[in-house]
Amino acid sequence: MKSYLLVIIIGYLFGCLQWSYIFSKTFLNVDIRTLGAGNAGASNTVISLGWKWGVLVAILDILKAIISILVIRYLFKISHLSESVFLLYLNGLFVILGHDFPFFMGFRGGKGAASLLGMLIGVDYRFGLLGFLIILLITVFTDYIALGTIAMNLFLLLATIYFNLGLGPIIISALLVIIAIYLHIPNIKRIRDKEEKGLRGTLKKKIKNI
């Protein structure tokens, strides 16, 4: 039980490193959640502050999940997926929960796409490569990063089932899918109503303004 609690605390605290919020408040004196899509994620940073800030935030959000999982690997001497993989999934889950629901921001954070990618890389770099390809291809094909994010969550669930990594990781993966869909309900509704801003159009507009 103490091991699980340690894994949870480390993951949640790493997840609470809200780089989009930190940068927007520090350098622009504005809360990123008052801009664009109204959340503290990398995609909203691209929409609201430009692609340079968005890329920086995405990289740091990916890294915080990777580093958190590497800390767990070190503490519990985990080198292969067959060794306590549940602890890696548990830590990744709470990194994403910390990112999505940070305590110091009234539990209103981002939507976890970059942190999920970092979790995939931390668990197995091959998962990370495939996850990156999936979110990239779905986003480019549909023009909506929300759909790419949901697809990447589904990939984690299917990969966890396919490689038979255990009931615990399957439950965590399914929970992550549910969280992703729930957080993206507003995006899905805007896509349905053709009101969602497409990523290509946003990037073109930001680049022209440089």
Side-chain angles (χ1 to χ4, degrees):
M1 183 59 70
K2 289 182 180 179
S3 296
Y4 292 157
L5 185 59
L6 179 62
V7 168
I8 288 169
I9 291 173
I10 290 173
Y12 186 78
L13 291 179
F14 266 99
C16 284
L17 291 171
Q18 268 290 350
W19 295 110
S20 63
Y21 178 81
I22 293 169
F23 290 151
S24 66
K25 291 292 285 187
T26 302
F27 297 107
L28 302 172
N29 195 30
V30 64
D31 185 339
I32 186 69
R33 297 171 299 173
T34 65
L35 305 174
N39 66 78
S43 60
N44 191 41
T45 305
V46 172
I47 293 170
S48 303
L49 305 181
W51 68 270
K52 292 181 181 179
W53 283 110
V55 169
L56 177 60
V57 167
I59 290 172
L60 291 174
D61 282 346
I62 291 169
L63 283 175
K64 70 184 181 185
I66 294 174
I67 293 171
S68 182
I69 288 179
L70 287 178
V71 169
I72 299 306
R73 282 185 176 275
Y74 174 78
L75 290 176
F76 294 94
K77 304 296 186 292
I78 302 170
S79 58
H80 302 288
L81 283 184
S82 59
E83 300 173 0
S84 303
V85 67
F86 175 73
L87 295 181
L88 304 184
Y89 272 70
L90 184 64
N91 181 257
L93 168 65
F94 276 86
V95 171
I96 293 168
L97 288 176
H99 177 82
D100 294 349
F101 310 105
F103 70 93
F104 66 97
M105 292 167 58
F107 302 99
R108 289 180 53 235
K111 297 187 178 180
S115 296
L116 175 65
L117 180 56
M119 174 187 173
L120 287 170
I121 296 170
V123 170
D124 190 306
Y125 76 92
R126 293 166 295 185
F127 281 13
L129 288 174
L130 288 172
F132 175 74
L133 287 175
I134 287 170
I135 191 172
L136 179 64
L137 291 174
I138 297 299
T139 299
V140 169
F141 181 75
T142 66
D143 199 25
Y144 298 118
I145 195 168
L147 300 181
T149 300
I150 292 171
M152 185 167 59
N153 277 273
L154 287 170
F155 160 73
L156 174 60
L157 175 59
L158 294 175
T160 304
I161 294 172
Y162 179 80
F163 288 103
N164 194 27
L165 296 180
L167 180 59
I170 290 173
I171 291 173
I172 288 174
S173 301
L175 181 59
L176 286 171
V177 172
I178 293 170
I179 293 171
I181 292 173
Y182 170 75
L183 292 177
H184 286 92
I185 286 175
N187 304 83
I188 294 169
K189 289 180 178 178
R190 288 195 296 268
I191 291 171
R192 180 197 62 192
D193 298 334
K194 298 182 179 179
E195 296 175 351
E196 179 83 341
K197 292 181 179 179
L199 185 62
R200 286 192 293 270
T202 299
L203 288 176
K204 287 179 182 178
K205 184 177 178 180
K206 292 296 181 181
I207 291 172
K208 284 181 180 179
N209 292 332
I210 295 176

